[in-house]
Amino acid sequence: MIQISPHAEAALTCTLDERSLYLRRLVLGSVRSAGRGHVGPALSLIEMVRVLYDDILRIDPNNPRDPERDRAILSKGHGCLALYALLADRGFFPLSELDGFCGSDSILGGHPEYGMVPGVEASTGALGHGLSIGVGLALAARMRERNYRTFVLLGDGEINEGSVWEAAMGAAKHGLDKLVAMIDYNKLQSYGPTDYVLPLEPLADKWRSFGFAVQELNGHDVGALRTVLKQVPAVPGKPTAIICHTVKGKGLPPAESNADWHHKNKLSDSELDAIRVAVGDF
Amino acid sequence: MRNTAMNMVHKLAARDERVLYIGSDPGAGTLRAMSKEFPKRHLIEGISEAHIIGMSAGLAMEGFVPYVNTIATFLTRRCYEQVAVDLCLHNLPVRLIANGGGLVYAPLGPTHQAIEDIAIMRALPNMTVVCPCDADEAARMMDKTLDWTGPIYIRLGKGGDAIVSKAEHGFEIGKAILMRPPGDVLMVTTGVMLQRAIAAADLLAAQGIRAGILHMHTVKPLDTEALLQAIRGIKLVATLEEHVPSGGLGSAVAETLIDKLGSGLPAMLRLSLPDRFMHNYGSQDSLLKKHGLAPNAIATSIEHALAASRTSAPQLHST
């Protein structure tokens, strides 16, 4: 039986502030416009992405390729609606683009594409790729004597992939302490609970044994995320793994911990009403 | 060929600080001289090919030119998605140095025999596929990889292949080399099949059949212009490859001829390995011989196909 972390319990009851609700309105607006989208995986990610883009990353929307910028890769590319909401809100592209999500003339597809979307550092969606690319970016920073940091956001289902653990070994080998893996641990993958599909526990011990400095927190707690991310590297000479206990579909009661909302097609009138109740008019 | 290509990585690293060597778990001492001279640019990353491809993508995004080296089957079969997505989709200048293209690892069995690598690499948008014929050409080829845009799959033979390339032919990625002017037949070859084609052409000449040879060291992008030029007036095009029939050089030539000519196609003979895994060991040479790719068998196949092409009715090739 999976041991329930106090962070996981806190994630279930954590209340969301107005900015978190606003970002959810952007995400769900895209889903309404497109008639499709990965709702659950985006809503679990929002606070992780929000704190990164609001408070941590050294980035300039007017110069998205600045060589000194921090790099962030959304390895769980299907959670892209959270990333798109933040990038649009931060001015990397107009907010109006969000309405075109998955449309034939849109820059915003169901998975983020490098070169198409300003601010997207790598094309992701095929799972298990982002951490390796992040290792390459972090290694390049060291070799080029640059100070940028590299953040990789991983899904819990995604870390079923063996390549993630190859990358973890590589990151530890090189002592990449400006590399941060953030795991969106919402404990629900496409088919069902992670402890049913492929058990991950003891997850923190796994990352620790692979050579990472590990932090655990409530992934919806904006203050905790800010505090931990500002203290990277947690241990000099080690890459950092931050296990973010989250709730899939967070903030939208019918979607919370509900595999049916992993990917959603057209929203019904009753679902639209439920969204309005949860996050306000959108 | 392999040692020459490896040593070229060292030479390129001396010329250009963007160059990195990334090996999985190569033989002890691989590029030792480079590891001493440029230790930070000589990376051994373990038997984790999927990760190495992604890592090399990250390094290439930051301006490095990584040369990734391991056995051909692991660069192709094992991490195909990483090659497709991380390298080709991002169109990054990573060079995949594939040891043992074709049947070089014959004694090690089907897990190590790269008999479909050209097909699967060729299928990827943005990927370039080169197959040098000998060590001298491998050196000239490596010299041209430094500033090529996008990923390159480099299919290497082993050591000791006869030197048949000529310095005066030079090497340009994507430019075929006409080794012998076409007569009745044009043989189109890639990689070490060039040596066999030359020997087969000599045998055919003794029978009064003039056979030209177009060395297609770059299978993708295929040099369409050189191919169309070389087939003028010929009766038969024969492709020679150390590869299964699907998707390799023969396919590329056939597709090009159909696309460009539509009608008036010359007769065509595709000589290749059969569409099956090799369940024999022995040597590269013995397996090529077993499957009709030794010079005398090539010459015989071409003679028969040429005779068949002279009849008016469509013929089925016996091969």
Side-chain angles (χ1 to χ4, degrees):
Chain A
M1 184 63 192
I2 187 169
Q3 193 177 354
I4 302 295
S5 157
H7 299 299
E9 286 183 13
L12 281 165
T13 54
C14 184
T15 52
L16 303 174
D17 64 13
E18 180 48 40
R19 180 152 178 75
S20 282
L21 293 174
Y22 162 73
L23 292 166
R24 281 173 172 75
R25 286 196 286 276
L26 293 184
V27 166
L28 292 161
S30 294
V31 177
R32 179 180 56 191
S33 298
R36 63 176 302 130
H38 284 92
V39 175
L43 296 188
S44 66
L45 260 185
I46 284 187
E47 281 66 41
M48 296 164 64
V49 183
R50 167 190 161 177
V51 172
L52 266 185
Y53 282 80
D54 282 356
D55 304 312
I56 302 297
L57 295 179
R58 295 184 292 248
I59 46 169
D60 178 2
N62 297 313
N63 186 14
R65 305 298 299 163
D66 179 356
E68 296 303 327
R69 74 194 183 282
D70 285 331
R71 275 64 164 166
I73 295 175
L74 179 64
S75 193
K76 51 165 285 186
H78 57 291
C80 61
L81 281 168
L83 176 63
Y84 294 162
L86 260 300
L87 288 173
D89 185 65
R90 292 299 309 275
F92 281 85
F93 52 81
L95 278 164
S96 56
E97 284 285 346
L98 295 176
D99 292 335
F101 176 61
C102 283
S104 59
D105 296 322
S106 178
I107 62 169
L108 306 177
H111 296 93
E113 258 200 82
Y114 174 82
M116 292 282 284
V117 189
V120 165
E121 298 283 1
S123 296
T124 53
L127 297 176
H129 293 233
L131 192 57
S132 291
I133 295 174
V135 168
L137 297 177
L139 198 53
R142 173 184 295 168
M143 294 171 80
R144 295 263 194 245
E145 296 180 354
R146 289 198 168 127
N147 283 320
Y148 67 78
R149 301 162 300 169
T150 303
F151 298 85
V152 180
L153 289 90
L154 297 147
D156 50 8
E158 174 175 22
I159 64 178
N160 294 171
E161 292 283 2
S163 55
V164 172
W165 302 100
E166 294 178 10
M169 285 188 279
K173 167 188 171 168
H174 291 289
L176 298 173
D177 60 9
K178 289 184 177 171
L179 176 70
V180 182
M182 298 173 69
I183 298 99
D184 179 11
Y185 194 16
N186 60 39
K187 301 163 197 72
L188 188 61
Q189 50 198 107
S190 191
Y191 187 82
T194 53
D195 66 343
Y196 172 75
V197 177
L198 187 63
L200 298 170
E201 289 295 336
L203 188 55
D205 287 346
K206 279 196 174 75
W207 285 96
R208 217 171 273 124
S209 73
F210 272 73
F212 278 62
V214 180
Q215 303 274 351
E216 278 192 82
L217 47 72
N218 166 8
H220 301 299
D221 183 338
V222 173
L225 280 162
R226 220 178 261 142
T227 302
V228 166
L229 283 164
K230 282 185 175 169
Q231 287 169 352
V232 166
V235 177
K238 283 190 171 190
T240 303
I242 304 175
I243 297 174
C244 303
H245 291 273
T246 59
V247 176
K248 197 153 179 166
K250 177 71 181 178
L252 180 59
E256 287 188 355
S257 303
N258 181 352
D260 291 343
W261 281 74
H262 174 76
H263 185 272
K264 199 71 184 163
N265 290 321
K266 195 172 183 309
L267 297 167
S268 67
D269 287 344
S270 64
E271 287 165 339
L272 290 168
D273 287 343
I275 292 170
R276 285 191 190 93
V277 169
V279 302
D281 208 14
F282 76 116
Chain B
M1 190 188 304
R2 183 180 152 202
N3 288 342
T4 303
M6 290 292 121
N7 290 334
M8 278 301 295
V9 178
H10 186 186
K11 287 182 183 164
L12 294 173
R15 252 165 56 189
D16 192 322
E17 63 175 18
R18 297 175 302 159
V19 171
L20 305 176
Y21 171 77
I22 307 177
S24 58
D25 186 24
T30 300
L31 278 178
R32 181 172 288 151
M34 181 184 173
S35 75
K36 286 183 178 159
E37 190 176 359
F38 306 110
K40 289 183 179 169
R41 291 193 279 144
H42 180 277
L43 301 163
I44 302 299
E45 297 300 306
I47 308 163
S48 56
E49 287 82 5
H51 163 59
I52 286 174
I53 299 299
M55 181 181 123
S56 69
L59 288 159
M61 285 171 172
E62 298 301 326
F64 286 101
V65 182
Y67 287 74
V68 175
N69 170 231
T70 190
I71 289 172
T73 49
F74 309 150
L75 280 176
T76 52
R77 295 170 182 166
R78 180 171 290 163
C79 47
Y80 193 56
E81 188 181 84
Q82 278 76 15
V83 172
V85 175
D86 301 351
L87 304 188
C88 294
L89 180 56
H90 293 104
N91 199 20
L92 293 168
V94 174
R95 286 72 178 95
L96 304 176
I97 306 179
N99 298 346
L103 298 170
V104 169
Y105 291 122
L108 303 185
T111 58
H112 285 56
Q113 295 165 4
I115 55 171
E116 81 296 7
D117 57 333
I118 294 175
I120 63 180
M121 290 290 118
R122 237 189 101 222
L124 293 169
N126 293 331
M127 181 59 90
T128 292
V129 179
V130 293
C131 314
C133 65
D134 61 29
D136 287 5
E137 187 170 77
R140 290 192 286 277
M141 175 275 299
M142 290 292 285
D143 198 55
K144 299 290 183 177
T145 56
L146 208 49
D147 295 314
W148 184 259
T149 307
I152 309 175
Y153 178 72
I154 299 167
R155 186 196 220 214
L156 293 183
K158 55 181 177 181
D161 289 304
I163 303 294
V164 292
S165 69
K166 295 190 170 84
E168 62 262 33
H169 287 140
F171 192 98
E172 294 295 332
I173 295 172
K175 293 290 174 197
I177 295 170
L178 190 64
M179 299 294 294
R180 289 198 185 187
D184 306 310
V185 179
L186 176 73
M187 284 187 264
V188 186
T189 73
T190 197
V192 297
M193 291 310 295
L194 176 59
Q195 287 93 317
R196 279 88 182 165
I198 290 170
D202 289 342
L203 293 170
L204 288 166
Q207 302 295 318
I209 298 170
R210 290 176 300 124
I213 302 173
L214 185 65
H215 173 40
M216 203 64 85
H217 52 64
T218 307
V219 182
K220 185 182 181 184
L222 196 80
D223 189 347
T224 304
E225 199 177 318
L227 178 65
L228 294 178
Q229 180 74 23
I231 61 161
R232 284 186 187 169
I234 63 154
K235 298 185 178 74
L236 176 74
V237 182
T239 57
L240 277 59
E241 60 188 319
E242 189 183 9
H243 191 271
V244 294
S246 314
L249 175 71
S251 295
V253 167
E255 290 158 14
T256 301
L257 293 180
I258 288 168
D259 288 348
K260 296 293 176 186
L261 300 179
S263 61
L265 292 168
M268 190 165 174
L269 173 68
R270 293 197 293 145
L271 295 174
S272 67
L273 299 171
D275 179 24
R276 65 171 175 79
F277 291 103
M278 306 287 112
H279 295 298
N280 308 93
Y281 306 111
S283 67
Q284 180 186 21
D285 253 346
S286 66
L287 287 191
L288 287 173
K289 190 174 177 185
K290 190 177 181 66
H291 295 291
L293 291 171
N296 56 351
I298 293 168
T300 304
S301 295
I302 287 175
E303 273 185 76
H304 290 164
L306 196 57
S309 73
R310 287 180 174 131
T311 66
S312 54
Q315 296 288 312
L316 294 176
H317 296 309
S318 58
T319 55

